[in-house]
Amino acid sequence: MAALNIVVGISGGIAAYKAVSVVRELVLAGHDVHVVATSNALKFVGLPTLEAISRNPVHTDLYEGVDEVRHVSVGQAADVIVVAPATANTIAKIATGQASDFLGNTILATRAPVIVAPAMHTEMWQNPATVANIETLRSRGIRIVGPESGQLTGSDSGPGRMSEPSDIVAAVLETVVSSRDLVGRSVLVTAGGTREPLDPVRFIGNRSSGKQGVALATAAAARGADVTLIAANLEVPLPAGVRCIQVSTTLELQSAVQAAAKSADAIVMAAAVADYRPAETAQSKIKKRSDSSTLELRLEENPDILRGLAAESPESQIVVGFAAETEPQDAALLELGRAKIARKGCDFLVINRVGWTEGFASDRNTVIVIDKVGDRVGEASGSKLSVAHRILDLVFAAR
Ligand code: CTP
């Protein structure tokens, strides 16, 4: 494995002394290790120890290295972050996104995988507040290692003991390997919703925010893929680390997709594409009619981009379509999906239910994924980012 930039976050618990072994094992394995210690952690283990073992300066003070914007640069440069030990207090701070110290800033500023090794007394570990915070961390894709059950600091014993350093190191390295499973793959994602202009100020559009497509692009990039995002009228910011091409209409989306499709190992058509466009686009604003209380619009059919892609796609390319359906019944929803994938000819179809209150602007999503023959290959529910990872797992598992 190539040398990694690994941040070891240490918070103030007695298990901080064991963090020295975590740092040492990672350094001996050839990695570049940067310790970020809270000021309480340094009451348990000395700064010179951590600097000597890590062979790098230890970061604690939020106001050191301000000229290098160090409170974010350490997290930005990391390939992985492990917090060991993570006290109940530090876990609560991560769960609520607090940036009151160097460690909090580093975690907020990273896009790398984060691993947390909790260490605390059993009552604290089992407290509903900690249980809820751990659940929050897990739902955001943070991996929790341990704690083990055993002898604690006082005379008590039970769950709360930090995992052994070698188990933590193994979890860190395994997370990096599995989290970079798309290195060398090229992924093309479309996101957002197309707009078909009626005149210079109006369009026919849809309520897609682009969040799920952006989450797919972000997830694929984080896993090492070379990502191109074709973004149609997003309501969310363009993601970093991704090649972005902005389009508006279906025809623009089609030509951008066709130009990028050949070199893609996988194409994910998450964009909501208008099936029809106005037959004529007025060059000046359409005026309200005084002679009639109705206005007729004549629409003409847009090309079906997904069907065209699927028909021309080489055997090795994975083509994934999305189906936004308003059908409330699960079985009927699946049937609509099966009919759609048969029509489109793509390799996978991600079916999600949309409605007045479901789907679009939400940060969460629930989907079912079916394959070419209509078999259900999996489902996902949760944040759009976690759903994106699951979709990538399912579609790349086939190749
Ligand atoms: N799609 C496309 N070109 C179109 C319409 C849709 O490439 N002209 C793609 C979408 O990006 C999506 C999939 O086809 O991946 C399904 O889109 P959807 O709107 O659900 O399907 P339609 O074919 O439009 O079927 P219907 O509107 O009748 O449900």
Side-chain angles (χ1 to χ4, degrees), residues 185-190 226-231 243-247 252-269 305 309 312-314 317-319:
R185 306 285 194 124
S186 137
V187 178
L188 173 62
V189 179
T190 66
D226 177 59
V227 181
T228 301
L229 174 69
I230 299 177
R243 196 177 307 107
C244 295
I245 301 165
Q246 300 204 57
V247 297
E252 287 167 13
L253 185 93
Q254 182 186 38
S255 53
V257 168
Q258 282 174 345
K262 265 205 175 66
S263 59
D265 295 311
I267 304 174
V268 185
M269 285 287 295
I305 304 170
L309 283 172
E312 286 168 17
S313 132
Q317 190 175 58
I318 309 168
V319 180

Side-chain angles (χ1 to χ4, degrees), residues 190 250 253 268-276 302-307 309 320-325 340 343-344 349:
T190 66
T250 299
L253 185 93
V268 185
M269 285 287 295
V273 179
D275 290 327
Y276 298 93
N302 269 328
D304 190 323
I305 304 170
L306 178 61
R307 199 163 66 188
L309 283 172
V320 183
F322 265 67
E325 306 287 355
K340 190 164 285 184
R343 232 172 33 238
K344 303 274 184 180
L349 191 73

Side-chain angles (χ1 to χ4, degrees), residues 148-268:
E148 308 296 326
S149 193
Q151 181 72 51
L152 302 172
T153 320
S155 55
D156 51 343
S157 66
R161 205 179 140 87
M162 189 174 86
S163 291
E164 287 309 313
S166 54
D167 292 339
I168 297 172
V169 167
V172 171
L173 300 180
E174 184 191 296
T175 301
V176 178
V177 171
S178 63
S179 72
R180 305 283 295 170
D181 61 339
L182 299 184
V183 170
R185 306 285 194 124
S186 137
V187 178
L188 173 62
V189 179
T190 66
T194 59
R195 290 179 181 176
E196 307 295 341
L198 287 161
D199 67 17
V201 295
R202 304 184 182 96
F203 57 82
I204 298 176
N206 61 71
R207 292 178 51 222
S208 175
S209 62
K211 281 185 181 173
Q212 187 60 72
V214 166
L216 278 155
T218 305
R223 288 163 74 158
D226 177 59
V227 181
T228 301
L229 174 69
I230 299 177
N233 312 297
L234 298 190
E235 283 174 19
V236 287
L238 292 173
V242 161
R243 196 177 307 107
C244 295
I245 301 165
Q246 300 204 57
V247 297
S248 189
T249 65
T250 299
L251 294 178
E252 287 167 13
L253 185 93
Q254 182 186 38
S255 53
V257 168
Q258 282 174 345
K262 265 205 175 66
S263 59
D265 295 311
I267 304 174
V268 185

Side-chain angles (χ1 to χ4, degrees), residues 104-129:
N105 280 269
T106 301
I107 292 172
L108 280 179
T110 200
R111 291 187 198 271
V114 177
I115 295 140
V116 160
M120 66 198 75
H121 286 272
T122 305
E123 294 81 352
M124 297 168 89
W125 173 247
Q126 291 175 345
N127 188 287

Side-chain angles (χ1 to χ4, degrees), residues 65-136:
V66 175
D67 56 332
E68 297 166 18
V69 207
R70 209 177 286 163
H71 70 296
V72 290
S73 62
V74 173
Q76 286 167 337
D79 293 313
V80 59
I81 296 182
V82 54
V83 185
T87 59
N89 182 44
T90 291
I91 288 166
K93 284 167 125 182
I94 301 172
T96 48
Q98 290 186 45
S100 55
D101 57 12
F102 204 109
L103 183 57
N105 280 269
T106 301
I107 292 172
L108 280 179
T110 200
R111 291 187 198 271
V114 177
I115 295 140
V116 160
M120 66 198 75
H121 286 272
T122 305
E123 294 81 352
M124 297 168 89
W125 173 247
Q126 291 175 345
N127 188 287
T130 308
V131 170
N133 289 333
I134 287 287
E135 193 43 48
T136 301

